[in-house]
Amino acid sequence: VTGHRVRVRARYPETDRMGVVHHSHYFVWFEIGRTELLRELGMPYASLEEEHLYMPVIEAGARYRAPVRYDEEVDVETVLQEVTGAQVRFSYRLLRHPGGEPVATGFSLHAAVNEKGRPRRLPQELRERLERLIPPAKERP
Amino acid sequence: VTGHRVRVRARYPETDRMGVVHHSHYFVWFEIGRTELLRELGMPYASLEEEHLYMPVIEAGARYRAPVRYDEEVDVETVLQEVTGAQVRFSYRLLRHPGGEPVATGFSLHAAVNEKGRPRRLPQELRERLERLIPPAKERP
Amino acid sequence: VTGHRVRVRARYPETDRMGVVHHSHYFVWFEIGRTELLRELGMPYASLEEEHLYMPVIEAGARYRAPVRYDEEVDVETVLQEVTGAQVRFSYRLLRHPGGEPVATGFSLHAAVNEKGRPRRLPQELRERLERLIPPAKERP
Amino acid sequence: VTGHRVRVRARYPETDRMGVVHHSHYFVWFEIGRTELLRELGMPYASLEEEHLYMPVIEAGARYRAPVRYDEEVDVETVLQEVTGAQVRFSYRLLRHPGGEPVATGFSLHAAVNEKGRPRRLPQELRERLERLIPPAKERP
């Protein structure tokens, strides 16, 4: 499966004194991955919030395989794993550019809530567009 | 099981425009939890690095139950789950202060490496001190 | 002049690959300084925002004299420099703990605005409490 | 004067609960500006560090004119102001994209040091390349 891809570059303050990007920052890169996926889908996350749809992370995880150093580039590959009436799950792969060496994998699970943090349904149109992105089961990572 | 506790307060830049602490920041709080646990054990992480022992995160995850807002305080409870010759696993609970409402749980798995990133053994003394912290199996979360 | 003091400790992700706390982070420490000054004054910043008083930074600067390394402690000394009907100016000194070596100085200038970002007057009570904190001119740094 | 330009987009965790990018983050954008200027000059900062040339910030400041919100784009315009044997000064303008509205200005002053933090001279070639970038005095902002 090849999901949506966006390239990021490791910034100086994202590194720590071990000389590599801090593990907490990978979750920011994952967020950039799903943000750009939604933008390409024609439904930027900023516009969802304008319609009072928020999608906070309710679970997230990462496995770190290789360090990323200052100024290195990484492709964030985002795959939509599952969408239900009230939840969305993404998975991520970070691949070093150039070369494609896998540097990390991860996932995030999101709830759909309104501006008060109460659960709400995903709009039908968004749900349908997202469902079309889900790879066939046998191809899922 | 009550693990080691340290209190943190949500800083302004740690919040995002949803008005709550960004999910990636919880991993920074987890890190403060294990840092203070090691300090209390008499083996501050900074001193381990001086002896060329680094413990990068190789896996981490979190479940988010309730939002944390600006200026709120949270107790980070850290429990040492497992220590082997080359790996250490911690689990975490974040509890709102006051009140004790659980706001998140999480874990981190660490490898022991040297200054070149090569696997190395944990020093025997550190390993023994850590092992004494592991709660009996039946009490583990 | 000895202003309000609060102690912070350098966290791992606040350092960069030069091994020291990133210069942008000093502005977060300055913010902690003025936050704790306001709290001690009995007017926590969070409560000001509840009354629709926001105080965004409109100008800020820092001079860096000595690096701060991982796990080192620093005292943030905050002095209220000036308060007018619509602006407040703070100055800061960062002093290494222990020892008191100056590691940085800085300032921030804030405008008083409402929830829509429009200029507003500072509440009279806040202004008076702040004015009492201003050191006599001859003692100002 | 039109300096070197690079475009950035406001990320979710860079915003705070006021709904705008936190003021401390502008210094990260300034850093991206000078990083890309050096890259275009054929002397990426990462390669300078490999030759034991570090350029820590010894002074920095910013003026904030208009807020930047989530997902908005900003052009970072970087102008080299001055280069001496041991110091370099950059100035910055942030311009909203599209439209070009000025959202902030700033500067940073850097010392040249070696890997031990001791002052050193800038390599002659770097100094010459940088000097060619300085706009004539009458055009300087």
Side-chain angles (χ1 to χ4, degrees):
Chain A
V1 178
T2 303
H4 175 272
R5 281 201 182 196
V6 58
R7 188 162 298 158
V8 292
R9 188 190 283 278
R11 299 169 172 183
Y12 211 91
E14 295 165 358
T15 62
D16 60 31
R17 75 160 188 164
M18 223 187 279
V20 303
V21 172
H22 193 260
H23 64 280
S24 66
H25 190 73
Y26 286 57
F27 294 93
V28 177
W29 283 345
F30 293 165
E31 183 168 39
I32 292 171
R34 62 182 178 267
T35 297
E36 296 307 319
L37 177 150
L38 289 173
R39 192 190 315 282
E40 202 175 274
L41 210 60
M43 308 192 84
Y45 183 68
S47 70
L48 300 182
E49 287 200 353
E50 280 164 23
E51 293 168 35
H52 308 293
L53 172 62
Y54 294 80
M55 294 177 58
V57 175
I58 57 174
E59 197 177 335
R63 287 181 176 224
Y64 305 87
R65 296 191 189 185
V68 178
R69 297 183 188 282
Y70 167 59
D71 215 40
E72 288 184 345
E73 289 182 295
V74 163
D75 286 322
V76 183
E77 190 180 277
T78 306
V79 175
L80 185 72
Q81 290 288 331
E82 195 177 15
V83 53
T84 67
Q87 290 194 344
V88 181
R89 177 184 292 265
F90 297 96
S91 71
Y92 310 92
R93 284 202 308 164
L94 300 187
L95 306 165
R96 200 184 304 281
H97 171 82
E101 180 201 1
V103 296
T105 56
F107 77 94
S108 62
L109 178 64
H110 303 257
V113 302
N114 66 16
E115 71 282 9
K116 289 173 186 162
R118 301 258 168 74
R120 54 159 286 181
R121 311 287 296 173
L122 287 174
Q124 189 61 19
E125 192 191 344
L126 174 62
R127 187 172 168 178
E128 282 171 9
R129 288 203 207 179
L130 287 172
E131 277 170 346
R132 269 177 247 136
L133 291 186
I134 302 175
K138 61 175 179 176
E139 289 180 34
R140 276 185 232 171
Chain B
V1 180
T2 303
H4 176 272
R5 282 201 180 194
V6 59
R7 188 162 298 158
V8 292
R9 188 190 283 277
R11 299 169 173 184
Y12 211 90
E14 295 165 358
T15 62
D16 60 30
R17 75 159 187 164
M18 221 186 281
V20 303
V21 172
H22 192 261
H23 65 280
S24 66
H25 191 73
Y26 287 56
F27 294 92
V28 176
W29 282 344
F30 294 165
E31 184 168 38
I32 292 171
R34 63 183 178 266
T35 297
E36 296 306 320
L37 177 150
L38 289 173
R39 190 189 316 281
E40 200 174 276
L41 210 60
M43 307 192 87
Y45 183 67
S47 70
L48 300 182
E49 286 201 353
E50 279 164 23
E51 293 168 35
H52 308 292
L53 173 63
Y54 295 79
M55 295 177 58
V57 175
I58 57 174
E59 196 177 334
R63 288 181 175 222
Y64 306 87
R65 297 191 188 183
V68 178
R69 296 182 188 283
Y70 167 59
D71 214 41
E72 288 184 346
E73 289 182 295
V74 163
D75 286 322
V76 183
E77 190 180 277
T78 306
V79 174
L80 185 72
Q81 289 288 331
E82 195 176 13
V83 53
T84 67
Q87 290 194 344
V88 181
R89 177 184 292 266
F90 297 96
S91 70
Y92 310 92
R93 283 203 308 163
L94 299 187
L95 305 165
R96 199 183 305 281
H97 171 81
E101 180 201 1
V103 295
T105 55
F107 77 94
S108 62
L109 178 64
H110 303 256
V113 302
N114 66 16
E115 71 282 11
K116 289 173 187 162
R118 302 259 168 73
R120 53 158 288 179
R121 310 288 296 175
L122 286 175
Q124 189 61 19
E125 193 191 343
L126 174 62
R127 187 172 168 178
E128 282 172 9
R129 289 203 207 178
L130 287 172
E131 278 171 346
R132 268 176 248 135
L133 292 185
I134 302 175
K138 61 174 181 176
E139 289 181 33
R140 278 186 231 169
Chain C
V1 179
T2 304
H4 175 272
R5 282 202 181 195
V6 58
R7 188 162 298 158
V8 293
R9 188 189 283 277
R11 299 169 172 183
Y12 212 90
E14 295 165 357
T15 62
D16 60 31
R17 76 160 187 163
M18 222 185 280
V20 304
V21 172
H22 193 262
H23 64 280
S24 65
H25 190 73
Y26 286 57
F27 295 93
V28 177
W29 283 344
F30 294 164
E31 183 167 40
I32 291 171
R34 61 182 179 266
T35 298
E36 295 307 319
L37 177 151
L38 289 173
R39 189 189 317 283
E40 201 173 276
L41 209 60
M43 307 193 86
Y45 184 68
S47 71
L48 300 181
E49 286 201 352
E50 279 164 23
E51 292 168 37
H52 308 293
L53 172 63
Y54 294 79
M55 295 175 60
V57 175
I58 57 173
E59 195 176 336
R63 287 183 175 219
Y64 305 87
R65 296 191 188 184
V68 178
R69 298 183 186 283
Y70 167 60
D71 214 41
E72 288 184 347
E73 289 182 295
V74 163
D75 285 322
V76 183
E77 189 180 277
T78 306
V79 174
L80 185 71
Q81 290 289 330
E82 195 177 15
V83 54
T84 67
Q87 291 194 343
V88 181
R89 177 183 292 265
F90 297 97
S91 70
Y92 309 93
R93 284 202 309 164
L94 300 187
L95 305 166
R96 199 183 305 282
H97 171 81
E101 180 201 0
V103 295
T105 55
F107 77 95
S108 62
L109 177 65
H110 302 256
V113 302
N114 66 15
E115 70 281 10
K116 289 173 185 163
R118 302 258 169 73
R120 54 159 288 182
R121 309 289 295 173
L122 287 175
Q124 188 61 18
E125 192 191 344
L126 174 61
R127 186 172 168 178
E128 282 170 10
R129 287 203 208 179
L130 288 172
E131 279 171 345
R132 268 177 249 135
L133 291 185
I134 302 175
K138 62 176 180 175
E139 290 181 31
R140 278 186 231 171
Chain D
V1 180
T2 303
H4 175 271
R5 282 202 181 193
V6 58
R7 188 163 297 158
V8 294
R9 188 189 283 278
R11 300 169 171 183
Y12 211 91
E14 295 165 358
T15 62
D16 60 31
R17 76 159 188 165
M18 223 186 280
V20 303
V21 172
H22 192 262
H23 64 281
S24 66
H25 191 71
Y26 286 56
F27 295 93
V28 177
W29 283 344
F30 294 164
E31 184 167 38
I32 292 171
R34 62 182 178 267
T35 298
E36 296 307 321
L37 177 150
L38 289 174
R39 191 190 316 284
E40 202 173 275
L41 209 60
M43 307 193 86
Y45 184 67
S47 71
L48 300 182
E49 286 201 353
E50 279 164 23
E51 292 169 37
H52 308 292
L53 173 64
Y54 294 79
M55 294 175 60
V57 175
I58 57 173
E59 197 177 334
R63 285 181 177 221
Y64 305 87
R65 295 191 189 184
V68 178
R69 297 183 188 283
Y70 168 60
D71 215 41
E72 288 184 346
E73 289 181 295
V74 164
D75 286 321
V76 182
E77 189 180 278
T78 306
V79 174
L80 186 71
Q81 290 288 331
E82 194 176 17
V83 54
T84 65
Q87 291 194 344
V88 182
R89 177 184 293 265
F90 297 97
S91 70
Y92 310 92
R93 284 203 309 164
L94 300 187
L95 305 165
R96 200 183 304 282
H97 171 81
E101 179 201 2
V103 296
T105 55
F107 77 94
S108 62
L109 177 65
H110 302 256
V113 302
N114 66 15
E115 71 281 10
K116 289 174 187 162
R118 302 260 169 73
R120 54 159 287 181
R121 309 290 295 174
L122 287 175
Q124 189 62 18
E125 192 191 344
L126 174 61
R127 187 172 167 178
E128 283 171 9
R129 288 204 207 179
L130 287 172
E131 279 170 346
R132 267 176 250 135
L133 291 184
I134 302 175
K138 62 176 180 175
E139 290 181 31
R140 277 185 231 171

